[in-house]
Every structure is written in C-alpha cells, then in structure tokens.
Amino acid sequence: MGGPHGGPFLLFHVLCFLLTVLEVGSQNSKACALWCPPNSSCVNGTACRCAPGFISFSGEIFTDPLESCDDINECGPPSPVDCGGSASCQNTEGGYYCTCSPGYEPVSGPAVFQNESENTCRDKDECSSGEHRCHNSTICVNTVGSYTCHCRQGWVPRPGFQDKQMITVCEEIFFPAWTAPPGIKSQRLSAFFERVQKMSRDFKPATAKKSMQDLVRSVDDLLKNSGDLESLGQSSKHVTATHLLSGLEKTLRTLAKAIPKGSFTYRSDDDTELSVVVQEQGKGNVTVGQSHARILLDWAVAAAAGESGPSVVGILSSQNMKKLLANASLKLDLEKLKETYESPVRGAKVTLLSAVSSVFLSNPNTEKLDSNVSFAFTLHEQPELKPRQELICAFWKNDGNGNGSWATSGCWKMGSGNGSITCQCSHLSSFAILMAHYDVEDPKLALITKVGLALSLVCLLLCILTFLLVRPIQGSRTTVHLHLCICLFVGSAIFLAGIENEGGEVGTRCRLVAVLLHYCFLAAFCWMSLEGVELYFLVVRVFQGQGLRKLWLCLIGYGVPLIIVGISAGAYSKGYGREKFCWLNFEGGFLWSFVGPVTFIVLGNAIIFVITVWKLTQKFSEINPDIKKLKKVRVLTITAIAQLFVLGCTWVFGLLLFDPESWVLSYIFSILNCLQGFFLFVLYCLLNKKVREEYRKWACMVAGNRYSEFATTTSASGSSHNQTQALRPSESGM
C-alpha cells in the first residue's frame, strides 16, 4: 500500500488540482458578480455600481457584498436642489421634481419642473377663485401664499374661535343685557331702562355708533332730570351709580367692537364726552384725549388674552354723575396717612372736583395691568388747599354687594400744573380727582376727652347719690338738681360711647345716638330753666317759697324736650346723624331744633336772673330786711348764674366741635364739657355744709368709728333742721 512509488504519485495529483483551481479563478475574474443588490449594476466579478439617484456607504462603486444602494435625497442637505422662490422640491425614488408651494400656481409651463430656470410660480388668490374654506359668517382675505377668514363688520368670533384664522367662525354682536338694579324703586330709573331695552331690540351692528350716542344722551337725561332719584337714600344712590358705571363700561365695550376701525369723539349737550379708538392690535402707546381727561396706555394692555381682532380703547367723562356720587365715603391708606400727619386719621371729607371718567378696553380683566396707565384730568377751577387738605386720584370701587365707595389703592398722583392733574394707576375703573379734608385725630385731645368725661361721670354719679340719700337737703330745688344731673349723666355716657361715626355711613345706630343726645341735652337745659322758675317763685313772689309741684316739674323737664325731638324727627328724620359724628346735621337748618330751644332757655334764665338781682337789691335796701334769708337767696342766685354760665359756654363751643376749624375751640369745648360734672359736684355738694356733714358721717360709718360728740351735735342739729323742714319745705330746700 505504501510502496516506493506511492509518494511521487500523490504529489503529482495535488499539483494537478492546484492548476485546475487557478484556471477556474482566472475565468471567474472576467465574469459579472452575482451578489449585486437592487438599484445597482455589475461592474465585474468583484464590484457593483449604484444606479443614478442611489448611493452606497462606500460611494457609487462598492465591493462589499453586505452594502446596499440607498436613494439620494436631492431636496435635503448638504446640497439641496434650488427650485427657486415660491416652489418646493419633492424627492422621489431615484430622482426629484419641483412644484409650486401651496398657495402658488405656475404662470406658464408645466406644473412639474427640475430647476429654477423653469420656475414661473406666483401667488394664487384662493378668495377670488373660490378655493377657500371660510365659513359664511366670515370674509376671505387673500394673503401671500395663503388666505385668512375675517369676521364681518359687527361680528365677533364665537367662543373657542379666533379671528383671522382659516377655520374662524363668527357670530353677530348683540346689545348686552342690562336691567335695573334690584331693590331700587325709582320711576325715572325704570323709564331709563325701558329705553335701554328698546335700544336692545332695535340694535343693528351697522348702527352701533348711533346706539352709543343715544345711550350717552339717555344717561344724561336720567342724571340731569333725576326726579325721584333725588329722594333716594345715600346708599341707594351709590348702588345706582355703581350699577350705571359698570353697565356703561360693559355696553360701550361691546358696541365699540361693532364700529369701523378708527377713532371718534362725541360730546353731548350736557358736556358728557365719549372718545373711542379702534385699531388692529399692535405695539407702542395710544393716547385717547378729550376736554375732561386724557389717557395714555400700551396697546398690549388693551387687547384681551387670546383675542386676535381689533382692540378698543375708550373713555366716557360725565359731569352729571357727580349727583349720585355726592357724599360718598373714601377708603384711605390709614397707615400711610398716619406717617404723613404723625397722628391717626379717622376719616376724610371729600369734594369731587373733576368729571367722573370711566375707561373701557377690549380687555375686560383690568384689575391688574401689566403696565401702568397714565391719566391727565382737567380742573376747571383750581381749589385753594387748606391745612390737612390735598388733591388725590381716586377710583370708584365696587364692594361686591352692589354698593361702592371711593378708594386710592393702586393709584397715585404724579404732578399738577396748568389746570390739570396727572395720575398713574395699575388698574382701570371709573376715576376722578377728589379734594380730601382729613380728620386727623389729636391723641392729646382724645385722652383729655375720655379721661375728663370719665371723671365727669363719676362726679355726676356722686351728685345723683347725694341728692337721693342726703335727707337734710331734700326739696324742690334738689329735685331740679337731681334730674339735671341725671340728664347730663346719661347724655355724657352716650356721648363718650357713641358720638363718633366709625363707618362714615349714617345708619340706624348713628341716628339713634343723635336722637338720644338731642333729647338728653335739651332735657338738661329744660331742668336748668326750671331752676330759674324756682328762683322766680322764691324771690319775685315776695319770698312765699311756693314753687311748682314735683309732677309738674317732671312733665315740663322731660315732656317739653320729648315734644321737640318728636316733631324734629317726624319732620326730617335724615337730620339726625353725620358722616363723622352722630349729632344733628347742619343741612337745612336742622341744627336750630337744638339751638333754638337752648337760646330761648338761656335768654329766659338770664332775664329771670336780672329780675332776681334787682329784687334782691331792693330787699337789701329795706329798713328791716331778713338778712339771713336774703343771703341764702343770694347764694342760690349766684350758683344758678354760675351753672348757666358753664353750661351755656360749653355749648357755645360745642356747636363748633362737629366741624372744627380750630384746635383751640376743640380743646376749650372738651375741657368745659369734662368739667361740667366736677363743677356741679363742687357747687352743690362740696360747698354745701349739710352735705359735707353727711359725707363726714358716712366716712365715720365706713371706718367703723362711733359718732363723735361733734357728730352727735350735728345729728341733733340735723334733726332740728328736719323739723323746720317739715314746717317750711321750701326754705329747707334752700
């Protein structure tokens, strides 16, 4: 098997096989490769070439059987095909073509081309060709390469749609619903809202400008010929004003969207002015001006969020609106004013100086603006400012319950000059210039009043207890003194607790306090006049000492002031209560319901005292005068005159307290008012010997000591005096 000739023979066969293989490989190198992928062609037995429009990872020719030929995107980077303007490149499998962009069409030539030189594209007017898809509530407006759908004049986009879009859907503008404020009964107001309802029924967007002018004239007619609106209470007037201002703002904003773009100003016969500017949304500032006021703001503030239609800026200035806003309260920044005046500020009396200007925008959300708004208000008369007075920029603030008041938060004065005042605000509402007279509280005066009145109440209480418990001094004049002190005690207590009107609104509580004060102080003067009558009976009627009975004293002392107060309240109940103090109102001469009777009483007592002094002079000049009795009568007369002087002088200054122009008068009244009780206590108690003896006796009883011999003697003397009193009550009363 492995003979000597086996090796050479095997080597021969191997060489033959190798030669055969080499020959076969040489033949295959000249043949086409069988593995070329799609979109390619064979180059030779080892390489393939990608077709035009395709390329492999290695390039046009590749030798790797794992590679493929992919489409070349001639329309994309790095070297896109330039089809020219208003045209777009469209890639295809292995090629590309150019077509006009949407919204364009070729002027001539084929619709498909290969390069810029063949481009003839121009804008296509979809609106005239009818190729648009605008809703029938809109108007098609052609744009370069497209179109938009605009709301018709007097139409606005439906909720959820925007203007100037290809899918915009609009609805016609309607006159806003506006009814009378609930709870306000007025024939004039009802007639006004009947006219408003007629305007609403007859409204057409094409006549929106005329409707705005008719509305302004109707408001002027309502405020100028107010009729029964004048008889409304202050709160009802402010509710009506709040309702009118908010309704006008809403209605004018809606109607202004229906008028053509531009600006217009309307001035009524009653000097009410309406200025409106309507334009497409833009950047920069806009100024709307008239003779009463001017406003400067950014257009971005005027546009509502998400709104694409024209923007509206308008201002309505009315002089007649002052009638409803008279005597309105002002909400103050008390902390800031306290720093300015270095004392607490309790309130302010305001005077409306400018027209009431209401601003309305397309944007209804104006409580907090992105940028401040500037105002310039015209003052036809420049006021002369006094101490504690200043001009402020205020706005009418709705309290959420239908009522309103003036406020200053978010507004500040920038400057003044040439008959105008410039303000800035961070929100919008109805604005005006007010002159505020601040009621600055004097801490020293308040302390004197409270401490002094407390001391006076203590003294009056001691007087009342003395007149009730000290038996040796009982008599008709003691009865007069007792009820005089009771009236002053009750009046002073009410004065201390409720004279100040904290809220500024005259309500039931404030009126009740004013009525009670009116009655108590009138009763005090009536009892003081009865003391003069007692002196008349004692001195003028030949010392008979026969005075009025206690029943008649009470009927006169409490009945007369009750009749006066009853007639006053029935004739004019609104005369009770003021903005700052719960006292009688100065308007219409109502204060004379107190001043008149007091003046009559003071003059009557003065005449009685003159007659008394004249009679005493005659008695002293007689041959055998009763010196002891004359001296007692003289003392009584002097004390009565002193009492009249103190009470009379107190209320001379008291009439000036409730409108203080001088700190001196306020201090004098407070001191005299606080000393009334102390003065009466000294005059009728401490200076009376019998009272002092009773006080001494009470002190000994409280201390637990037995009566001294002096006290026993005093008691005996008092007992003897009581017997005398039983015989001569009028004399013991002295």
Side-chain angles (χ1 to χ4, degrees):
M1 180 174 171
H5 299 287
F9 181 78
L10 179 61
L11 180 62
F12 173 78
H13 280 285
V14 171
L15 290 175
C16 290
F17 177 76
L18 292 174
L19 289 174
T20 302
V21 171
L22 290 173
E23 183 178 359
V24 172
S26 175
Q27 292 176 357
N28 288 340
S29 64
K30 296 178 181 180
C32 184
L34 300 178
W35 47 266
C36 289
N39 302 319
S40 68
S41 61
C42 176
V43 176
N44 52 40
T46 60
C48 299
R49 184 193 305 273
C50 290
F54 297 89
I55 195 168
S56 70
F57 180 78
S58 301
E60 182 181 357
I61 299 175
F62 58 96
T63 59
D64 188 353
L66 299 178
E67 292 192 45
S68 63
C69 291
D70 300 321
D71 177 52
I72 299 174
N73 185 5
E74 294 86 355
C75 300
S79 300
V81 175
D82 185 8
C83 294
S86 305
S88 59
C89 174
Q90 303 294 327
N91 185 59
T92 61
E93 186 77 13
Y96 73 94
Y97 65 91
C98 296
T99 59
C100 293
S101 300
Y104 294 85
E105 60 184 359
V107 177
S108 61
V112 176
F113 50 93
Q114 292 291 324
N115 52 58
E116 183 180 6
S117 61
E118 301 175 11
N119 185 341
T120 60
C121 297
R122 69 173 182 181
D123 175 56
K124 178 170 58 176
D125 190 350
E126 296 89 349
C127 298
S128 60
S129 64
E131 298 181 21
H132 65 84
R133 296 184 179 180
C134 288
H135 191 266
N136 56 11
S137 63
T138 62
I139 299 174
C140 178
V141 177
N142 187 62
T143 60
V144 178
S146 184
Y147 67 94
T148 55
C149 305
H150 293 213
C151 290
R152 299 176 183 274
Q153 186 69 45
W155 294 61
V156 292
R158 283 184 181 177
F161 292 90
Q162 290 187 351
D163 197 13
K164 303 177 184 177
Q165 305 294 320
M166 299 180 70
I167 59 171
T168 299
V169 179
C170 303
E171 61 184 5
E172 192 174 16
I173 292 177
F174 292 95
F175 198 100
W178 192 13
T179 58
I184 305 298
K185 297 182 179 179
S186 169
Q187 294 182 355
R188 288 288 300 160
L189 199 60
S190 299
F192 167 76
F193 280 103
E194 288 178 1
R195 290 197 298 271
V196 171
Q197 298 305 317
K198 186 178 185 303
M199 292 182 198
S200 177
R201 292 191 298 269
D202 300 340
F203 174 73
K204 295 180 180 180
T207 60
K209 185 181 295 185
K210 180 179 181 300
S211 297
M212 296 172 74
Q213 296 174 355
D214 292 341
L215 182 61
V216 171
R217 286 193 293 267
S218 297
V219 174
D220 279 346
D221 181 62
L222 170 67
L223 299 178
K224 183 179 179 180
N225 305 310
S226 52
D228 57 357
L229 283 178
E230 292 291 339
S231 61
L232 293 177
Q234 182 173 308
S235 178
S236 298
K237 287 183 179 179
H238 296 164
V239 169
T240 304
T242 304
H243 192 76
L244 288 176
L245 291 173
S246 60
L248 282 171
E249 180 182 342
K250 177 182 177 181
T251 304
L252 292 175
R253 176 192 299 117
T254 302
L255 299 185
K257 295 179 181 179
I259 65 177
K261 289 187 287 293
S263 62
F264 87 95
T265 297
Y266 169 71
R267 184 170 185 173
S268 70
D269 296 337
D270 295 310
D271 201 26
T272 298
E273 287 187 278
L274 171 65
S275 298
V276 181
V277 175
V278 182
Q279 74 170 43
E280 296 294 337
Q281 294 184 20
K283 297 181 179 179
N285 295 329
V286 58
T287 300
V288 181
Q290 50 181 231
S291 63
H292 295 302
R294 298 184 304 277
I295 179 174
L296 173 66
L297 54 81
D298 191 339
W299 269 115
V301 172
E307 186 178 81
S308 56
S311 297
V312 173
V313 178
I315 180 171
L316 174 69
S317 298
S318 172
Q319 292 279 9
N320 294 326
M321 193 64 69
K322 294 180 180 180
K323 295 181 178 180
L324 293 179
L325 300 178
N327 300 321
S329 60
L330 171 64
K331 294 184 178 180
L332 301 171
D333 187 349
L334 299 179
E335 292 299 326
K336 182 178 179 181
L337 291 172
K338 184 177 180 180
E339 294 177 1
T340 302
Y341 291 97
E342 299 180 351
S343 291
V345 176
R346 294 182 295 181
K349 182 179 180 181
V350 297
T351 303
L352 190 56
L353 299 180
S354 68
V356 179
S357 299
S358 299
V359 181
F360 54 92
L361 309 176
S362 301
N363 180 14
N365 301 316
T366 57
E367 291 83 5
K368 180 63 178 178
L369 302 177
D370 295 334
S371 60
N372 296 332
V373 179
S374 298
F375 296 90
F377 296 93
T378 302
L379 299 181
H380 300 290
E381 295 182 3
Q382 190 69 27
E384 181 179 353
L385 298 179
K386 299 178 181 179
R388 294 181 288 152
Q389 287 185 344
E390 69 170 331
L391 301 181
I392 59 175
C393 305
F395 68 97
W396 188 253
K397 184 177 182 180
N398 190 332
D399 63 2
N401 298 321
N403 209 329
S405 60
W406 293 112
T408 59
S409 58
C411 290
W412 53 93
K413 187 175 69 173
M414 300 296 294
S416 60
N418 298 325
S420 66
I421 292 181
T422 304
C423 307
Q424 271 196 353
C425 295
S426 59
H427 55 81
L428 290 180
S429 179
S430 298
F431 300 88
I433 299 299
L434 307 179
M435 182 175 67
H437 185 137
Y438 298 119
D439 181 18
V440 181
E441 180 180 350
D442 186 349
K444 297 179 181 178
L445 182 61
L447 181 62
I448 291 174
T449 301
K450 293 178 181 178
V451 174
L453 279 179
L455 176 63
S456 180
L457 288 173
V458 172
C459 293
L460 288 171
L461 182 60
L462 291 176
C463 289
I464 294 171
L465 294 176
T466 300
F467 297 146
L468 288 173
L469 301 177
V470 177
R471 304 180 66 85
I473 63 171
Q474 297 300 315
S476 59
R477 295 193 69 251
T478 301
T479 300
V480 172
H481 296 159
L482 171 63
H483 291 283
L484 171 64
C485 291
I486 290 175
C487 293
L488 288 177
F489 180 85
V490 176
S492 298
I494 297 174
F495 186 95
L496 181 62
I499 186 64
E500 294 183 359
N501 189 10
E502 298 290 345
E505 294 289 336
V506 181
T508 304
R509 172 203 158 278
C510 188
R511 296 190 192 278
L512 179 60
V513 170
V515 169
L516 292 176
L517 288 177
H518 189 197
Y519 177 77
C520 289
F521 291 133
L522 272 183
F525 275 95
C526 282
W527 282 104
M528 187 177 67
S529 69
L530 289 175
E531 183 168 16
V533 174
E534 287 291 313
L535 279 177
Y536 174 81
F537 282 111
L538 182 64
V539 178
V540 177
R541 297 186 63 180
V542 199
F543 287 69
Q544 295 178 1
Q546 300 296 325
L548 295 174
R549 293 182 180 181
K550 185 176 181 179
L551 177 62
W552 284 105
L553 290 175
C554 292
L555 287 176
I556 296 174
Y558 291 114
V560 172
L562 182 62
I563 293 174
I564 295 175
V565 172
I567 294 175
S568 302
Y572 187 58
S573 61
K574 294 181 180 179
Y576 289 100
R578 303 189 63 195
E579 293 180 7
K580 299 179 183 178
F581 300 101
C582 299
W583 181 237
L584 306 186
N585 203 325
F586 288 177
E587 296 179 359
F590 189 76
L591 188 63
W592 281 100
S593 62
F594 178 75
V595 176
V598 168
T599 303
F600 176 79
I601 291 171
V602 172
L603 292 178
N605 271 17
I607 294 173
I608 290 175
F609 294 152
V610 170
I611 296 174
T612 301
V613 173
W614 176 59
K615 286 291 184 179
L616 284 175
T617 304
Q618 288 183 335
K619 294 296 181 181
F620 273 108
S621 63
E622 291 179 356
I623 298 176
N624 295 315
D626 189 346
I627 299 299
K628 185 177 180 180
K629 179 178 285 190
L630 286 175
K631 286 184 177 181
K632 289 182 178 181
V633 174
R634 183 177 63 181
V635 170
L636 295 179
T637 305
I638 293 174
T639 56
I641 293 174
Q643 172 186 284
L644 176 65
F645 177 78
V646 172
L647 293 180
C649 288
T650 299
W651 281 100
V652 167
F653 293 103
L655 296 177
L656 303 174
L657 168 70
F658 305 102
D659 235 349
E661 293 293 337
S662 171
W663 291 111
V664 176
L665 297 179
S666 299
Y667 272 95
I668 292 176
F669 172 80
S670 298
I671 294 173
L672 290 177
N673 192 38
C674 296
L675 288 178
Q676 284 185 103
F678 179 75
F679 169 78
L680 293 178
F681 179 67
V682 172
L683 193 63
Y684 292 124
C685 297
L686 296 184
L687 295 181
N688 190 311
K689 183 177 180 181
K690 296 178 182 179
V691 175
R692 291 200 306 270
E693 291 173 353
E694 288 294 319
Y695 286 168
R696 189 178 297 110
K697 185 190 303 183
W698 293 348
C700 293
M701 292 175 61
V702 172
N705 297 329
R706 295 180 178 274
Y707 292 139
S708 63
E709 181 179 354
F710 174 79
T712 304
T713 305
T714 303
S715 177
S717 175
S719 177
S720 174
H721 179 78
N722 287 339
Q723 295 176 1
T724 306
Q725 178 187 7
L727 296 175
R728 295 182 298 172
S730 62
E731 183 179 344
S732 65
M734 292 183 286

